[in-house]
Amino acid sequence: MTGFEAYCKKRFIELENEGKMVNIDKLFSTCNIDNEEAETIRTEARAEGITPLKKLIKKGKINFQSYERCKKAYNKGYNIVFGNTLNVSNILLEQIKTNIIYRHKIVHISPLNHIVDHNTVPPVFANKDYARRAISAFETFIDSLNKATLKLP
């Protein structure tokens, strides 16, 4: 599990625990859940003594590993728009997306491949310098997301 995924998932749940109202209906819609399945999730959540949001996450309906799905969940659930609300550059957001793709290649294809992107000129190498830049981008993103969530009504 990446730090991006772990933080975004944990913070998403924390917001509800802090009394921030999630728009569960928009989340159901975003996750392609029809009314019948939504009612099943609500019923199962009540039976388990948890909220529909926690049941939705428990069922894996929100994928925090995917930048796009995570972005949609924050947008629909809490009206946080990664590009606007976070007040970070599109360049930083592209770095985050790219780093998630590179991580996937390293973890799921080969950790021995030190060239993570052959399609760029010059190629992108997995080295300490790149790791420092990636860590910095993730830190900036997470800090910005945290600040934005603290301002929610």
Side-chain angles (χ1 to χ4, degrees), residues 72-139:
K72 256 188 198 175
Y74 271 92
N75 183 346
K76 299 303 181 186
Y78 291 108
N79 202 31
I80 291 176
V81 180
F82 281 6
N84 298 335
T85 310
L86 300 188
N87 199 25
V88 295
S89 71
N90 287 336
I91 294 169
L92 181 105
L93 295 176
E94 286 300 320
Q95 286 176 308
I96 297 297
K97 286 191 255 186
T98 300
N99 287 328
I100 291 169
I101 292 166
Y102 290 169
R103 178 216 171 259
H104 179 80
K105 286 181 182 180
I106 291 167
V107 170
H108 298 288
I109 297 172
S110 174
L112 301 175
N113 188 359
H114 66 284
I115 303 176
V116 291
D117 195 342
H118 298 275
N119 299 320
T120 61
V121 178
V124 176
F125 292 92
N127 56 32
K128 287 182 183 179
D129 182 52
Y130 187 85
R132 280 188 208 102
R133 290 193 316 269
I135 290 168
S136 176
F138 280 109
E139 285 175 345

Side-chain angles (χ1 to χ4, degrees), residues 3-128:
F4 173 86
E5 174 191 5
Y7 175 78
C8 290
K9 182 178 181 178
K10 182 177 181 180
R11 188 66 186 131
F12 204 80
I13 295 167
E14 285 175 346
L15 290 170
E16 184 182 56
N17 293 339
E18 293 170 5
K20 310 299 182 191
M21 296 303 299
V22 66
N23 189 328
I24 195 71
D25 292 326
K26 280 188 179 180
L27 279 179
F28 284 150
S29 176
T30 298
C31 297
N32 297 318
I33 295 173
D34 61 26
N35 290 339
E36 185 178 324
E37 187 178 2
E39 193 51 43
T40 300
I41 289 170
R42 285 183 168 97
T43 302
E44 290 174 354
R46 274 191 300 275
E48 293 176 33
I50 61 175
T51 66
L53 175 63
K54 289 178 182 151
K55 185 64 181 180
L56 193 65
I57 291 171
K58 189 175 178 182
K59 285 178 147 296
K61 297 291 186 175
I62 302 173
N63 180 353
F64 291 94
Q65 286 180 326
S66 163
Y67 173 86
E68 291 302 323
R69 289 183 181 169
C70 181
K71 177 176 93 167
K72 256 188 198 175
Y74 271 92
N75 183 346
K76 299 303 181 186
Y78 291 108
N79 202 31
I80 291 176
V81 180
F82 281 6
N84 298 335
T85 310
L86 300 188
N87 199 25
V88 295
S89 71
N90 287 336
I91 294 169
L92 181 105
L93 295 176
E94 286 300 320
Q95 286 176 308
I96 297 297
K97 286 191 255 186
T98 300
N99 287 328
I100 291 169
I101 292 166
Y102 290 169
R103 178 216 171 259
H104 179 80
K105 286 181 182 180
I106 291 167
V107 170
H108 298 288
I109 297 172
S110 174
L112 301 175
N113 188 359
H114 66 284
I115 303 176
V116 291
D117 195 342
H118 298 275
N119 299 320
T120 61
V121 178
V124 176
F125 292 92
N127 56 32
K128 287 182 183 179

